[in-house]
PDB file of all heavy atoms in Angstrom:
ATOM      1  N   ALA A 301       1.977  11.230   9.555  1.00 93.00           N
ATOM      2  CA  ALA A 301       0.816  11.718  10.295  1.00 93.00           C
ATOM      3  C   ALA A 301       1.194  11.873  11.763  1.00 93.00           C
ATOM      4  O   ALA A 301       1.828  10.999  12.342  1.00 93.00           O
ATOM      5  CB  ALA A 301      -0.354  10.757  10.150  1.00 93.00           C
ATOM      6  N   THR A 302       0.803  12.981  12.364  1.00 95.00           N
ATOM      7  CA  THR A 302       1.141  13.199  13.763  1.00 95.00           C
ATOM      8  C   THR A 302       0.206  12.443  14.690  1.00 95.00           C
ATOM      9  O   THR A 302       0.595  12.066  15.793  1.00 95.00           O
ATOM     10  CB  THR A 302       1.077  14.697  14.119  1.00 95.00           C
ATOM     11  OG1 THR A 302      -0.205  15.199  13.774  1.00 95.00           O
ATOM     12  CG2 THR A 302       2.147  15.466  13.389  1.00 95.00           C
ATOM     13  N   GLU A 303      -1.029  12.222  14.247  1.00 96.00           N
ATOM     14  CA  GLU A 303      -2.000  11.516  15.060  1.00 96.00           C
ATOM     15  C   GLU A 303      -2.955  10.770  14.142  1.00 96.00           C
ATOM     16  O   GLU A 303      -3.346  11.272  13.088  1.00 96.00           O
ATOM     17  CB  GLU A 303      -2.782  12.513  15.912  1.00 96.00           C
ATOM     18  CG  GLU A 303      -3.671  11.887  16.935  1.00 96.00           C
ATOM     19  CD  GLU A 303      -4.286  12.930  17.859  1.00 96.00           C
ATOM     20  OE1 GLU A 303      -4.017  14.130  17.717  1.00 96.00           O
ATOM     21  OE2 GLU A 303      -5.054  12.497  18.728  1.00 96.00           O
ATOM     22  N   VAL A 304      -3.324   9.559  14.542  1.00 96.00           N
ATOM     23  CA  VAL A 304      -4.284   8.759  13.777  1.00 96.00           C
ATOM     24  C   VAL A 304      -5.378   8.322  14.738  1.00 96.00           C
ATOM     25  O   VAL A 304      -5.095   7.729  15.782  1.00 96.00           O
ATOM     26  CB  VAL A 304      -3.615   7.527  13.130  1.00 96.00           C
ATOM     27  CG1 VAL A 304      -4.641   6.714  12.348  1.00 96.00           C
ATOM     28  CG2 VAL A 304      -2.470   7.952  12.222  1.00 96.00           C
ATOM     29  N   ARG A 305      -6.612   8.634  14.395  1.00 96.00           N
ATOM     30  CA  ARG A 305      -7.772   8.261  15.200  1.00 96.00           C
ATOM     31  C   ARG A 305      -8.618   7.285  14.409  1.00 96.00           C
ATOM     32  O   ARG A 305      -8.629   7.307  13.189  1.00 96.00           O
ATOM     33  CB  ARG A 305      -8.633   9.487  15.531  1.00 96.00           C
ATOM     34  CG  ARG A 305      -7.930  10.552  16.320  1.00 96.00           C
ATOM     35  CD  ARG A 305      -7.881  10.136  17.766  1.00 96.00           C
ATOM     36  NE  ARG A 305      -7.198  11.134  18.570  1.00 96.00           N
ATOM     37  CZ  ARG A 305      -7.711  11.689  19.621  1.00 96.00           C
ATOM     38  NH1 ARG A 305      -8.925  11.385  20.016  1.00 96.00           N
ATOM     39  NH2 ARG A 305      -7.010  12.562  20.318  1.00 96.00           N
ATOM     40  N   GLY A 306      -9.352   6.439  15.110  1.00 93.00           N
ATOM     41  CA  GLY A 306     -10.222   5.478  14.452  1.00 93.00           C
ATOM     42  C   GLY A 306     -11.667   5.673  14.860  1.00 93.00           C
ATOM     43  O   GLY A 306     -11.958   5.929  16.027  1.00 93.00           O
ATOM     44  N   LEU A 307     -12.573   5.559  13.908  1.00 94.00           N
ATOM     45  CA  LEU A 307     -14.005   5.652  14.152  1.00 94.00           C
ATOM     46  C   LEU A 307     -14.651   4.433  13.518  1.00 94.00           C
ATOM     47  O   LEU A 307     -14.415   4.132  12.348  1.00 94.00           O
ATOM     48  CB  LEU A 307     -14.569   6.929  13.533  1.00 94.00           C
ATOM     49  CG  LEU A 307     -16.062   7.155  13.680  1.00 94.00           C
ATOM     50  CD1 LEU A 307     -16.426   7.332  15.158  1.00 94.00           C
ATOM     51  CD2 LEU A 307     -16.490   8.364  12.889  1.00 94.00           C
ATOM     52  N   VAL A 308     -15.453   3.710  14.308  1.00 92.00           N
ATOM     53  CA  VAL A 308     -16.050   2.460  13.844  1.00 92.00           C
ATOM     54  C   VAL A 308     -17.557   2.541  14.017  1.00 92.00           C
ATOM     55  O   VAL A 308     -18.047   2.991  15.057  1.00 92.00           O
ATOM     56  CB  VAL A 308     -15.489   1.261  14.635  1.00 92.00           C
ATOM     57  CG1 VAL A 308     -16.128  -0.030  14.199  1.00 92.00           C
ATOM     58  CG2 VAL A 308     -13.979   1.196  14.487  1.00 92.00           C
ATOM     59  N   LEU A 309     -18.295   2.089  13.014  1.00 91.00           N
ATOM     60  CA  LEU A 309     -19.750   2.102  13.052  1.00 91.00           C
ATOM     61  C   LEU A 309     -20.291   0.974  13.926  1.00 91.00           C
ATOM     62  O   LEU A 309     -21.210   1.165  14.710  1.00 91.00           O
ATOM     63  CB  LEU A 309     -20.309   1.991  11.632  1.00 91.00           C
ATOM     64  CG  LEU A 309     -21.813   2.032  11.491  1.00 91.00           C
ATOM     65  CD1 LEU A 309     -22.366   3.358  11.965  1.00 91.00           C
ATOM     66  CD2 LEU A 309     -22.212   1.779  10.049  1.00 91.00           C
ATOM     67  N   ALA A 310     -19.727  -0.227  13.796  1.00 91.00           N
ATOM     68  CA  ALA A 310     -20.220  -1.387  14.551  1.00 91.00           C
ATOM     69  C   ALA A 310     -19.047  -2.287  14.907  1.00 91.00           C
ATOM     70  O   ALA A 310     -18.009  -2.280  14.248  1.00 91.00           O
ATOM     71  CB  ALA A 310     -21.233  -2.170  13.732  1.00 91.00           C
ATOM     72  N   ARG A 311     -19.234  -3.081  15.946  1.00 86.00           N
ATOM     73  CA  ARG A 311     -18.198  -4.016  16.383  1.00 86.00           C
ATOM     74  C   ARG A 311     -18.766  -5.423  16.344  1.00 86.00           C
ATOM     75  O   ARG A 311     -19.856  -5.677  16.848  1.00 86.00           O
ATOM     76  CB  ARG A 311     -17.746  -3.677  17.808  1.00 86.00           C
ATOM     77  CG  ARG A 311     -16.635  -4.577  18.287  1.00 86.00           C
ATOM     78  CD  ARG A 311     -16.133  -4.088  19.630  1.00 86.00           C
ATOM     79  NE  ARG A 311     -14.954  -4.845  20.008  1.00 86.00           N
ATOM     80  CZ  ARG A 311     -14.965  -5.818  20.898  1.00 86.00           C
ATOM     81  NH1 ARG A 311     -16.069  -6.156  21.507  1.00 86.00           N
ATOM     82  NH2 ARG A 311     -13.859  -6.452  21.175  1.00 86.00           N
ATOM     83  N   ALA A 312     -18.004  -6.346  15.777  1.00 83.00           N
ATOM     84  CA  ALA A 312     -18.406  -7.751  15.754  1.00 83.00           C
ATOM     85  C   ALA A 312     -18.357  -8.304  17.167  1.00 83.00           C
ATOM     86  O   ALA A 312     -17.563  -7.840  17.999  1.00 83.00           O
ATOM     87  CB  ALA A 312     -17.475  -8.549  14.845  1.00 83.00           C
ATOM     88  N   PRO A 313     -19.194  -9.277  17.483  1.00 83.00           N
ATOM     89  CA  PRO A 313     -19.141  -9.870  18.834  1.00 83.00           C
ATOM     90  C   PRO A 313     -17.746 -10.400  19.143  1.00 83.00           C
ATOM     91  O   PRO A 313     -17.102 -11.001  18.285  1.00 83.00           O
ATOM     92  CB  PRO A 313     -20.142 -11.025  18.753  1.00 83.00           C
ATOM     93  CG  PRO A 313     -21.026 -10.691  17.619  1.00 83.00           C
ATOM     94  CD  PRO A 313     -20.192  -9.906  16.652  1.00 83.00           C
ATOM     95  N   TRP A 314     -17.275 -10.136  20.362  1.00 72.00           N
ATOM     96  CA  TRP A 314     -15.942 -10.568  20.783  1.00 72.00           C
ATOM     97  C   TRP A 314     -15.963 -12.060  21.072  1.00 72.00           C
ATOM     98  O   TRP A 314     -16.831 -12.554  21.762  1.00 72.00           O
ATOM     99  CB  TRP A 314     -15.528  -9.786  22.019  1.00 72.00           C
ATOM    100  CG  TRP A 314     -14.150 -10.132  22.484  1.00 72.00           C
ATOM    101  CD1 TRP A 314     -13.840 -10.919  23.548  1.00 72.00           C
ATOM    102  CD2 TRP A 314     -12.925  -9.725  21.911  1.00 72.00           C
ATOM    103  NE1 TRP A 314     -12.483 -11.012  23.671  1.00 72.00           N
ATOM    104  CE2 TRP A 314     -11.902 -10.299  22.681  1.00 72.00           C
ATOM    105  CE3 TRP A 314     -12.582  -8.939  20.826  1.00 72.00           C
ATOM    106  CZ2 TRP A 314     -10.557 -10.101  22.395  1.00 72.00           C
ATOM    107  CZ3 TRP A 314     -11.243  -8.746  20.538  1.00 72.00           C
ATOM    108  CH2 TRP A 314     -10.255  -9.325  21.324  1.00 72.00           C
ATOM    109  N   ARG A 315     -15.002 -12.778  20.553  1.00 69.00           N
ATOM    110  CA  ARG A 315     -14.861 -14.207  20.817  1.00 69.00           C
ATOM    111  C   ARG A 315     -13.395 -14.473  21.135  1.00 69.00           C
ATOM    112  O   ARG A 315     -12.521 -13.957  20.492  1.00 69.00           O
ATOM    113  CB  ARG A 315     -15.269 -15.028  19.607  1.00 69.00           C
ATOM    114  CG  ARG A 315     -16.695 -14.796  19.206  1.00 69.00           C
ATOM    115  CD  ARG A 315     -17.091 -15.744  18.074  1.00 69.00           C
ATOM    116  NE  ARG A 315     -18.328 -15.354  17.465  1.00 69.00           N
ATOM    117  CZ  ARG A 315     -19.516 -15.626  17.956  1.00 69.00           C
ATOM    118  NH1 ARG A 315     -19.633 -16.269  19.072  1.00 69.00           N
ATOM    119  NH2 ARG A 315     -20.607 -15.227  17.331  1.00 69.00           N
ATOM    120  N   GLY A 316     -13.146 -15.278  22.134  1.00 64.00           N
ATOM    121  CA  GLY A 316     -11.766 -15.620  22.458  1.00 64.00           C
ATOM    122  C   GLY A 316     -11.385 -15.197  23.852  1.00 64.00           C
ATOM    123  O   GLY A 316     -12.078 -15.482  24.811  1.00 64.00           O
ATOM    124  N   ALA A 317     -10.277 -14.465  23.940  1.00 60.00           N
ATOM    125  CA  ALA A 317      -9.734 -14.079  25.238  1.00 60.00           C
ATOM    126  C   ALA A 317     -10.215 -12.690  25.625  1.00 60.00           C
ATOM    127  O   ALA A 317     -10.450 -11.849  24.773  1.00 60.00           O
ATOM    128  CB  ALA A 317      -8.208 -14.088  25.169  1.00 60.00           C
ATOM    129  N   ASP A 318     -10.362 -12.470  26.938  1.00 57.00           N
ATOM    130  CA  ASP A 318     -10.695 -11.134  27.386  1.00 57.00           C
ATOM    131  C   ASP A 318      -9.416 -10.295  27.423  1.00 57.00           C
ATOM    132  O   ASP A 318      -8.349 -10.768  27.055  1.00 57.00           O
ATOM    133  CB  ASP A 318     -11.401 -11.175  28.747  1.00 57.00           C
ATOM    134  CG  ASP A 318     -10.522 -11.713  29.864  1.00 57.00           C
ATOM    135  OD1 ASP A 318      -9.292 -11.832  29.669  1.00 57.00           O
ATOM    136  OD2 ASP A 318     -11.051 -11.985  30.926  1.00 57.00           O
ATOM    137  N   ARG A 319      -9.494  -9.077  27.897  1.00 56.00           N
ATOM    138  CA  ARG A 319      -8.341  -8.181  27.865  1.00 56.00           C
ATOM    139  C   ARG A 319      -7.179  -8.673  28.711  1.00 56.00           C
ATOM    140  O   ARG A 319      -6.040  -8.308  28.478  1.00 56.00           O
ATOM    141  CB  ARG A 319      -8.744  -6.785  28.297  1.00 56.00           C
ATOM    142  CG  ARG A 319      -9.635  -6.143  27.289  1.00 56.00           C
ATOM    143  CD  ARG A 319      -9.978  -4.747  27.679  1.00 56.00           C
ATOM    144  NE  ARG A 319     -10.875  -4.206  26.673  1.00 56.00           N
ATOM    145  CZ  ARG A 319     -11.050  -2.955  26.444  1.00 56.00           C
ATOM    146  NH1 ARG A 319     -10.407  -2.070  27.159  1.00 56.00           N
ATOM    147  NH2 ARG A 319     -11.863  -2.539  25.530  1.00 56.00           N
ATOM    148  N   GLN A 320      -7.443  -9.481  29.732  1.00 54.00           N
ATOM    149  CA  GLN A 320      -6.362 -10.001  30.556  1.00 54.00           C
ATOM    150  C   GLN A 320      -5.779 -11.286  29.973  1.00 54.00           C
ATOM    151  O   GLN A 320      -4.864 -11.853  30.539  1.00 54.00           O
ATOM    152  CB  GLN A 320      -6.867 -10.276  31.982  1.00 54.00           C
ATOM    153  CG  GLN A 320      -7.087  -9.015  32.799  1.00 54.00           C
ATOM    154  CD  GLN A 320      -8.367  -8.295  32.411  1.00 54.00           C
ATOM    155  OE1 GLN A 320      -9.368  -8.918  32.132  1.00 54.00           O
ATOM    156  NE2 GLN A 320      -8.309  -6.990  32.365  1.00 54.00           N
ATOM    157  N   GLY A 321      -6.315 -11.760  28.869  1.00 53.00           N
ATOM    158  CA  GLY A 321      -5.775 -12.950  28.226  1.00 53.00           C
ATOM    159  C   GLY A 321      -6.419 -14.241  28.662  1.00 53.00           C
ATOM    160  O   GLY A 321      -6.067 -15.309  28.181  1.00 53.00           O
ATOM    161  N   ALA A 322      -7.381 -14.194  29.589  1.00 54.00           N
ATOM    162  CA  ALA A 322      -8.038 -15.417  30.058  1.00 54.00           C
ATOM    163  C   ALA A 322      -9.229 -15.741  29.151  1.00 54.00           C
ATOM    164  O   ALA A 322      -9.954 -14.858  28.737  1.00 54.00           O
ATOM    165  CB  ALA A 322      -8.517 -15.223  31.496  1.00 54.00           C
ATOM    166  N   LEU A 323      -9.405 -17.005  28.859  1.00 53.00           N
ATOM    167  CA  LEU A 323     -10.536 -17.411  28.045  1.00 53.00           C
ATOM    168  C   LEU A 323     -11.810 -17.359  28.874  1.00 53.00           C
ATOM    169  O   LEU A 323     -11.800 -17.599  30.080  1.00 53.00           O
ATOM    170  CB  LEU A 323     -10.329 -18.833  27.510  1.00 53.00           C
ATOM    171  CG  LEU A 323      -9.186 -19.012  26.520  1.00 53.00           C
ATOM    172  CD1 LEU A 323      -9.066 -20.485  26.145  1.00 53.00           C
ATOM    173  CD2 LEU A 323      -9.411 -18.186  25.272  1.00 53.00           C
ATOM    174  N   PHE A 324     -12.904 -17.025  28.220  1.00 52.00           N
ATOM    175  CA  PHE A 324     -14.180 -17.010  28.924  1.00 52.00           C
ATOM    176  C   PHE A 324     -15.197 -17.850  28.155  1.00 52.00           C
ATOM    177  O   PHE A 324     -15.034 -18.105  26.980  1.00 52.00           O
ATOM    178  CB  PHE A 324     -14.682 -15.582  29.134  1.00 52.00           C
ATOM    179  CG  PHE A 324     -15.011 -14.862  27.854  1.00 52.00           C
ATOM    180  CD1 PHE A 324     -16.283 -14.914  27.322  1.00 52.00           C
ATOM    181  CD2 PHE A 324     -14.046 -14.128  27.183  1.00 52.00           C
ATOM    182  CE1 PHE A 324     -16.595 -14.263  26.149  1.00 52.00           C
ATOM    183  CE2 PHE A 324     -14.347 -13.467  26.013  1.00 52.00           C
ATOM    184  CZ  PHE A 324     -15.634 -13.534  25.488  1.00 52.00           C
TER     185      PHE A 324
END
Side-chain angles (χ1 to χ4, degrees):
T302 55
E303 189 173 359
V304 180
R305 299 281 180 125
L307 179 65
V308 178
L309 182 63
R311 182 174 187 257
W314 182 257
R315 300 186 193 279
D318 64 13
R319 291 183 182 203
Q320 286 77 38
L323 294 177
F324 65 91

